[in-house]
Amino acid sequence: MFRGRFTFTILIFFIFSSAATASESNADYLASTTIDSTVKNSTYFKVREALIQTEDHLSTGGDLQLNSKEIEVDKIFMKYKIEELEEGSRDPLKNAASMHFFKAKPLIERSKVFRFLQQMPKGALLHLHNTAGVSSEWIARNLSQLTGLLRCIDQKGINILTFRENPEKHKCSTQYVAINEERQKSQSQAAYNRSFENLINLYTERPELEYQTINHVWDKFQNMFSTVSDLIHYLPAYRVYLWQLLKESYDDKIIYVELRFTTFQLYDHAGQVYADEHFLTVIMEVVSSFKNQFPDFLGVKLIYAIQRHLEPNEVRNRVEMLKKFHSAYPNIVIGFDLVGQEDKGRPLIDFIEIFKEIPDTIKFFFHAGETNWYGTSTDLNLFDAVLLNTTRIGHGYALMKHPTLWNAVKERNIAVEVCPISNQVLHLVWDLRNHPGAFYLSQNIPVVICNDDPGFWGAKGLSYDYYYAIMSLASNQSGLRMLKQLVWNSISYSTLNKTEKELANGTLKRQWDLFLDDILNEHQKEAKTKQKKLN
């Protein structure tokens, strides 16, 4: 019961002062009604519904108006979603929305919600790291079978995969072993593939035991980059690897990618080493070939990302390299970022003077606030990212703790690249219903859903992250309006120019309309099949 007239009046005032969100009839009703402590239940529930509608209107997608087809598809999606959430409510062991990805993945892949999301066009992928962008399963089944692949273990106990014997470079503490020979000695091809995949995948049945702290999981995570690095640097391997990265994105209904990359020297079977510039040439060639085969794929732009633990002089050297790349490819190499475990790396403030040397035509896309700490240098990276006019914020996990900043982010239209599974696997949050992305969605803070390093935890594309976004981060009542807004956000907050965005939006709209038709047609077929069985 209400504690007097005053409390109830405050609620009504809040509804109108927040936004004119309730239906017009509800708004008129509330404006003309005097509420007192003897309010009838009917009035109470109308006010209650208006308050819920107000909050819904404030969230991501709240302003979208769905057309008649979208309304019908939304009904289908919400049926899937509510059924699944109710089942999870009854049995926590079936509640994928609350579970760690390693435990939930089999449930997700059987989910009607997930299959719906796999069919849904997703627009652009704006936060993906080159070296961990391909599924470990594909690497195990394909790259591991390339002739000449070797393995050694370095002085830190890390497995190193390579096509060249160079003990000093790899700091091997063991002899090189030929992968093909190991494979032949294995009980089966499948068994060896699983063993090989373990080298480059964080998966474990018991993540809570194997990764007891954030440092445990980050150490293994970063070691896997060392494991796979020289394998991918092999020129023939990199070409097919990059093609597969694009294909896994495209197969998940992604039409454009902004890829975080670090240049490296490629090498070939003859031992020839190619300069960093050749790396960009290879990317351009592969992307061009991919676009020729898949014309509705719009391409790739590159964000140059360097390790945040580097000394300032080395950062300055890398910035000079970035300038050279940007000058040669101004519409392709478009941005700069610092990567690595934020809690252990140098804060942005250490490099302010160097950042001043970067021309305005190169945009910032800073990882910032990827932490649970509050008031540390990692957390304060968010202030520097905003002050440095970052175009988007990578992760922004701690942003919710800073109302001045998240209001500024909203007012300045800076998108937060939310990577739900990454934040969970890398130990920031266990139950994704507690992820701060829920707050960002509730406040309509600009958000784009991203996947970060999907290859290292057995994911592909964006569907898995979208699953958690709509099932865990979003309200139980959020459906196609929020999904559509998130999809279109990916184009709006990309670095595509005006002409490119018009093309992207046109392509996306055609795909979206076909998607709606496909869902409705499938639903009609299912209904007819069900009716036949009943008859």
Side-chain angles (χ1 to χ4, degrees):
M1 293 296 293
F2 289 117
R3 297 185 179 179
R5 185 192 306 265
F6 179 74
T7 303
F8 201 52
T9 304
I10 290 294
L11 285 176
I12 296 173
F13 175 77
F14 170 77
I15 292 170
F16 289 110
S17 62
S18 296
T21 61
S23 65
E24 186 173 346
S25 58
N26 269 344
D28 290 340
Y29 175 86
L30 290 170
S32 61
T33 303
T34 301
I35 309 295
D36 57 30
S37 57
T38 60
V39 62
K40 295 180 180 180
N41 280 346
S42 60
T43 303
Y44 170 86
F45 282 110
K46 286 180 180 180
V47 174
R48 181 177 184 272
E49 181 60 25
L51 191 59
I52 292 170
Q53 287 182 19
T54 299
E55 193 167 273
D56 180 61
H57 178 84
L58 293 173
S59 67
T60 297
D63 285 331
L64 275 181
Q65 297 297 317
L66 300 183
N67 62 34
S68 57
K69 278 187 181 180
E70 289 171 329
I71 290 171
E72 291 305 308
V73 170
D74 184 49
K75 290 177 183 177
I76 295 168
F77 175 77
M78 289 305 297
K79 182 176 183 294
Y80 296 157
K81 178 175 177 176
I82 296 302
E83 285 178 353
E84 193 167 318
L85 289 172
E86 287 179 348
E87 183 181 25
S89 178
R90 290 191 299 269
D91 183 356
L93 294 178
K94 295 180 180 179
N95 188 12
S98 71
M99 295 165 65
H100 192 285
F101 178 61
F102 293 162
K103 298 173 182 289
K105 188 182 177 188
L107 293 175
I108 293 172
E109 290 173 345
R110 295 194 295 269
S111 158
K112 290 183 179 180
V113 169
F114 182 68
R115 290 198 292 273
F116 179 98
L117 295 172
Q118 285 182 303
Q119 292 177 263
M120 184 183 75
K122 303 183 185 64
L125 169 52
L126 303 182
H127 185 133
L128 174 66
H129 293 273
N130 173 57
T131 316
V134 173
S135 60
S136 56
E137 179 188 10
W138 182 87
I139 292 175
R141 284 190 292 102
N142 293 276
L143 293 190
S144 75
Q145 303 211 40
L146 293 178
T147 302
L149 181 58
L150 305 170
R151 181 180 65 83
C152 77
I153 299 175
D154 73 7
Q155 295 166 4
K156 296 180 179 179
I158 302 170
N159 283 272
I160 303 296
L161 300 169
T162 184
F163 288 90
R164 53 184 171 181
E165 292 192 34
N166 190 338
E168 290 184 6
K169 173 181 174 57
H170 301 140
K171 299 179 181 179
C172 294
S173 62
T174 67
Q175 297 294 317
Y176 289 98
V177 178
I179 295 296
N180 285 343
E181 292 179 9
E182 281 192 329
R183 183 180 288 278
Q184 290 172 5
K185 295 176 183 177
S186 178
Q187 292 180 345
S188 69
Q189 293 287 307
Y192 188 79
N193 285 342
R194 287 194 296 272
S195 175
F196 187 94
E197 191 178 354
N198 287 338
L199 301 177
I200 52 174
N201 193 316
L202 286 168
Y203 173 79
T204 171
E205 290 183 353
R206 297 183 175 181
E208 70 277 16
L209 298 180
E210 185 160 340
Y211 308 126
Q212 295 182 21
T213 70
I214 192 169
N215 286 344
H216 282 98
V217 70
W218 264 94
D219 286 346
K220 184 171 181 182
F221 176 60
Q222 292 181 311
N223 288 346
M224 291 192 310
F225 285 100
S226 299
T227 295
V228 79
S229 178
D230 218 47
L231 163 60
I232 293 175
H233 292 185
Y234 182 55
L235 181 54
Y238 186 68
R239 287 185 180 276
V240 293
Y241 174 91
L242 180 58
W243 181 279
Q244 183 65 16
L245 181 150
L246 300 177
K247 189 65 165 57
E248 288 183 2
S249 298
Y250 182 78
D251 286 346
D252 201 40
K253 307 296 189 294
I254 294 162
I255 58 173
Y256 167 73
V257 175
E258 292 188 359
L259 185 65
R260 280 168 166 89
F261 80 105
T262 301
T263 54
F264 43 71
Q265 293 181 334
L266 298 167
Y267 65 97
D268 62 20
H269 66 282
Q272 182 177 350
V273 176
Y274 299 85
D276 287 340
E277 290 86 344
H278 191 69
F279 172 80
L280 293 175
T281 302
V282 172
I283 291 179
M284 243 83 74
E285 290 172 354
V286 173
V287 171
S288 177
S289 178
F290 191 87
K291 288 171 66 177
N292 286 337
Q293 186 166 337
F294 303 100
D296 53 343
F297 183 76
L298 303 181
V300 171
K301 292 185 191 288
L302 301 172
I303 298 167
Y304 188 52
I306 65 173
Q307 288 293 323
R308 62 190 331 121
H309 62 72
L310 295 176
E311 296 293 329
N313 285 342
E314 181 59 26
V315 172
R316 180 170 275 107
N317 291 338
R318 300 296 181 91
V319 165
E320 291 304 314
M321 185 179 294
L322 167 62
K323 291 178 185 178
K324 183 169 63 174
F325 295 151
H326 177 67
S327 178
Y329 306 104
N331 195 41
I332 300 295
V333 181
I334 47 84
F336 177 73
D337 189 14
L338 297 173
V339 298
Q341 187 176 1
E342 234 183 307
D343 287 333
K344 287 187 174 181
R346 289 177 175 272
L348 295 177
I349 193 70
D350 283 6
F351 307 113
I352 295 298
E353 293 304 314
I354 299 174
F355 295 155
K356 291 178 181 178
E357 301 170 11
I358 299 177
D360 292 341
T361 52
I362 297 174
K363 301 177 184 297
F364 292 139
F365 299 87
F366 289 125
H367 278 63
E370 190 181 0
T371 184
N372 276 319
W373 290 104
Y374 185 19
T376 62
S377 61
T378 308
D379 177 48
L380 297 180
N381 278 335
L382 286 163
F383 287 83
D384 293 301
V386 172
L387 288 171
L388 289 164
N389 198 30
T390 191
T391 297
R392 296 192 301 267
I393 295 174
H395 298 286
Y397 186 87
L399 180 65
M400 186 177 71
K401 298 172 183 176
H402 302 285
T404 302
L405 283 185
W406 63 255
N407 273 298
V409 162
K410 189 171 183 179
E411 290 172 8
R412 293 168 62 175
N413 219 23
I414 300 171
V416 181
E417 300 164 347
V418 172
C419 308
I421 298 174
S422 173
N423 294 158
Q424 184 187 64
V425 170
L426 295 179
H427 230 293
L428 289 180
V429 60
W430 184 268
D431 186 334
L432 280 165
R433 293 174 299 176
N434 297 324
H435 191 285
F439 174 75
Y440 306 152
L441 292 176
S442 75
Q443 294 294 306
N444 197 19
I445 292 169
V447 162
V448 288
I449 302 301
C450 303
N451 60 8
D452 203 20
D453 300 281
F456 281 1
W457 40 79
K460 294 180 184 178
L462 278 171
S463 289
Y464 293 99
D465 286 280
Y466 262 95
Y467 178 89
Y468 279 113
I470 198 64
M471 297 295 284
S472 307
L473 275 58
S475 161
N476 283 17
Q477 306 307 316
S478 296
L480 195 66
R481 282 190 306 158
M482 181 172 285
L483 287 171
K484 183 178 181 181
Q485 185 66 66
L486 289 170
V487 169
W488 258 263
N489 278 0
S490 72
I491 302 299
S492 298
Y493 294 104
S494 73
T495 60
L496 294 168
N497 62 37
K498 183 179 179 181
T499 301
E500 292 168 335
K501 282 184 178 178
E502 288 175 356
L503 176 60
N505 283 319
T507 301
L508 182 55
K509 186 179 186 308
R510 288 192 297 274
Q511 292 184 345
W512 187 263
D513 290 341
L514 289 172
F515 157 69
L516 297 174
D517 289 339
D518 288 344
I519 294 294
L520 291 173
N521 290 336
E522 285 180 14
H523 186 67
Q524 289 173 0
K525 288 179 182 177
E526 288 176 2
K528 288 180 180 178
T529 301
K530 187 175 181 180
Q531 188 62 42
K532 284 182 180 179
K533 288 181 179 179
L534 291 174
N535 294 336

